[in-house]
């Protein structure tokens, strides 16, 4: 199978390409390098002996997409490309709606013109807003509190309407919980530009000495230790979720929606302790005010994906923190230019 991977040079996309290759599929990456570097390609080759084809392009360029879909005889598309920083989305909503919503519509339009009818979309647990309870199942109500979240929700709604009008299509919405960790080789990992927004990249940059201390956003939440609780999932498990989705429902018409999480919640302080243990480095922190827009706790009920896709997350918190540290300590400044 030839799989077009939009955003395949990025964090989750690059790890998924490795697992696609291991599963005997052929990834073709389409990415504009807005938030990634070309030096990820030789790293993929180092890990799995094969370098995927890479086309530099923007998903808002329909003609280019049509050329690529035809030229590479694409069977299915995994769509990672998009912008993902919540804070930035508040400052630049147009860019977020243009890349994430318009970009997806252009992609689907190009697929339609080429007769490619199988799509897996990167959604997020952010579509559950502030959930009334945990664990969260796929049937919980959806909502959004910022332009990034709204863009994911809008895309889900557009794709749902489109699939209803085109019932022969297979469209899978994968709602990721909190992806962390790195390829166990230490060759690939998360390489955020500037100050990391997310917890784990920040913690690992403190441990490696790039930043002085972690600010823990809120210690008065109604949680086990007062700090925020999330469902951290290893990026390799997440990558495998895409392979399972393609294999199980990628050629089954319908709209398929799955949570990809572990079903376990960990607090900020538990993550800090696990990281100190894995790295042998201290992670100094300060308790500060809550971050506006944050929720107290959020974790998945992943049983639908287990039942229908035969997929379950297998990596432990120890794997997540050890692998992150291997990547961070071996590549303190991320990928080379
Ligand atoms: P990432 O930024 O590392 O990867 C996204 C890739 O898309 C980058 O390589 C970027 O260059 C590319 N891209 C952006 N706009 C593009 C465009 N218009 N045309 C072509 N390429 C474009 O992000 P990631 O963490 O790998 O996330 C992948 C997807 O998963 C995103 O859609 C994101 O919203 C979603 N997601 C991520 C998380 C997370 O915590 N990382 C959580 C939930 C959902
Ligand atoms: C964030 C996004 C969410 C996105 C998800 C992807 C916000 C408000 N939400 O969620 O839309 O889908 O990332 O994984 O940004 N924390 C600190 N100090 C830090 C960073 C984080 O204490 O420097 C805490 C947060 O308060 C939270 C936890 O760590 O309790 C995880 O934060 P983060 O990694 O940003 O993920 P989310 O808040 O779950």
């Amino acid at each position: 199978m030839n799989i077009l991977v939009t955003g395949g040079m990025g964090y989750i996309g690059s790890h998924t390409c490795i697992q696609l290759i291991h599963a005997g599929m052929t990834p073709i990456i389409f990415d504009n390098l807005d938030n990634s570097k070309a030096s990820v390609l030789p790293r993929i080759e180092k890990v799995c002996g094969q370098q995927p084809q890479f086309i530099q392009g923007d998903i808002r360029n329909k003609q280019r997409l049509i050329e690529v879909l035809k030229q590479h005889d694409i069977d299915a598309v995994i769509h990672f490309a998009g912008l993902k920083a919540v804070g930035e989305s508040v400052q630049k909503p147009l860019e977020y709606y243009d890349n994430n919503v318009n970009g997806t519509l252009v992609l689907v339009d190009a697929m339609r013109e080429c007769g490619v009818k199988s799509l897996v979309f990167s959604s997020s647990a952010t579509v559950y807003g502030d959930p009334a309870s945990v664990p969260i199942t796929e049937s919980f109500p959806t909502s959004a509190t910022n332009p990034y979240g709204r863009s994911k929700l809008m895309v889900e709604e557009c794709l749902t309407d489109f699939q209803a009008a085109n019932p022969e299509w297979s469209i899978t919405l994968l709602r990721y919980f909190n992806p962390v960790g790195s390829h166990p080789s230490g060759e690939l990992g998360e390489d955020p530009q500037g100050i990391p927004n997310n917890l784990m990249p920040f913690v690992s940059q403190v441990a490696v000495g790039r930043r002085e201390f972690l600010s823990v956003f809120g210690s008065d939440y109604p949680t086990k230790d007062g700090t925020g609780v999330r469902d951290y999932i290893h990026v390799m498990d997440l990558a495998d979720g895409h392979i399972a989705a393609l294999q199980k429902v990628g050629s089954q018409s319908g709209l398929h929606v799955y949570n990809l999480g572990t079903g376990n919640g960990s607090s900020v302080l538990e993550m800090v302790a696990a990281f100190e243990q894995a790295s042998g480095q201290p992670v100094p922190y300060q308790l500060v005010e809550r971050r506006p827009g944050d929720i107290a706790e959020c974790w998945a009920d992943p049983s639908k994906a287990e039942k229908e896709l035969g997929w379950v997350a297998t990596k432990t918190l120890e794997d997540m923190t050890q692998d992150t540290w291997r990547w961070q300590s071996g590549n303190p400044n991320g990928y080379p230019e």
Side-chain angles (χ1 to χ4, degrees):
M1 275 180 88
N2 296 328
I3 314 295
L4 186 74
V5 184
T6 75
M9 301 292 274
Y11 172 47
I12 306 170
S14 56
H15 289 81
T16 302
C17 284
I18 290 174
Q19 298 308 79
L20 284 167
I21 292 171
H22 285 319
M25 302 188 209
T26 306
I28 292 106
I29 298 177
F30 190 87
D31 195 304
N32 66 1
L33 296 182
D34 180 77
N35 195 37
S36 49
K37 294 188 185 133
S39 58
V40 73
L41 285 173
R43 299 291 182 96
I44 296 177
E45 185 173 16
K46 202 166 168 189
V47 165
C48 59
Q50 205 177 312
Q51 205 174 107
Q53 292 208 50
F54 166 53
I55 295 120
Q56 186 165 356
D58 193 296
I59 51 165
R60 293 163 294 180
N61 184 341
K62 186 172 150 193
Q63 282 318 313
R64 190 87 182 94
L65 277 171
I66 289 175
E67 278 166 30
V68 172
L69 287 164
K70 286 189 175 156
Q71 193 189 340
H72 294 272
D73 202 12
I74 296 297
D75 297 298
V77 177
I78 308 183
H79 177 34
F80 293 105
L83 305 179
K84 64 164 183 177
V86 173
E88 185 186 60
S89 79
V90 177
Q91 305 304 321
K92 298 181 175 176
L94 269 193
E95 281 80 352
Y96 274 69
Y97 293 124
D98 186 31
N99 267 280
N100 296 3
V101 184
N102 177 39
T104 304
L105 299 184
V106 172
L107 170 67
V108 173
D109 200 19
M111 289 171 68
R112 176 169 62 173
E113 281 199 34
C114 298
V116 179
K117 297 178 179 175
S118 177
L119 175 70
V120 175
F121 172 64
S122 296
S123 190
S124 165
T126 192
V127 300
Y128 295 116
D130 192 351
S133 61
V134 276
I136 300 169
T137 69
E138 289 81 355
S139 56
F140 270 40
T142 53
S143 65
T145 52
N146 55 66
Y148 167 73
R150 218 163 348 263
S151 75
K152 288 288 167 192
L153 198 48
M154 282 179 188
V155 170
E156 284 206 358
E157 288 169 346
C158 292
L159 291 177
T160 302
D161 289 343
F162 178 79
Q163 200 285 327
N166 298 274
E168 72 282 12
W169 276 58
S170 167
I171 298 189
T172 305
L173 312 177
L174 297 180
R175 295 175 175 162
Y176 312 155
F177 280 68
N178 288 60
V180 298
S182 306
H183 191 272
S185 64
E187 295 290 339
L188 291 98
E190 187 170 11
D191 182 18
Q193 306 304 302
I195 302 172
N197 299 301
N198 295 116
L199 178 66
M200 280 300 274
F202 204 104
V203 166
S204 58
Q205 290 191 6
V206 172
V208 84
R210 266 175 80 177
R211 305 194 184 273
E212 212 179 328
F213 63 89
L214 169 76
S215 296
V216 176
F217 298 142
S219 50
D220 58 350
Y221 285 109
T223 59
K224 44 186 155 185
D225 60 18
T227 66
V229 169
R230 297 291 185 273
D231 186 340
Y232 297 94
I233 173 166
H234 197 295
V235 67
M236 297 304 291
D237 278 331
L238 196 63
D240 285 338
H242 294 74
I243 316 301
L246 275 180
Q247 289 174 337
K248 291 286 173 154
V249 296
S251 47
Q252 252 180 49
S253 56
L255 182 83
H256 314 286
V257 186
Y258 298 103
N259 285 340
L260 294 185
T262 65
N264 302 310
S266 304
S267 74
V268 175
L269 295 182
E270 284 173 340
M271 293 307 283
V272 168
F275 203 85
E276 287 182 324
Q277 177 80 26
S279 65
Q281 301 295 316
V283 176
Y285 64 83
Q286 290 182 5
L287 304 177
V288 303
E289 290 295 289
R290 293 181 180 190
R291 180 170 64 179
D294 269 0
I295 57 176
E297 52 187 11
C298 166
W299 66 87
D301 176 341
S303 55
K304 185 172 179 229
E306 180 171 9
K307 199 159 78 199
E308 296 183 11
L309 303 180
W311 171 90
V312 68
T314 57
K315 302 253 187 191
T316 62
L317 216 54
E318 209 178 10
D319 298 324
M320 301 180 207
T321 47
Q322 282 178 352
D323 291 340
T324 302
W325 179 242
R326 196 171 301 111
W327 155 254
Q328 183 68 64
S329 54
N331 304 268
N333 297 309
Y335 289 108
E337 279 308 323

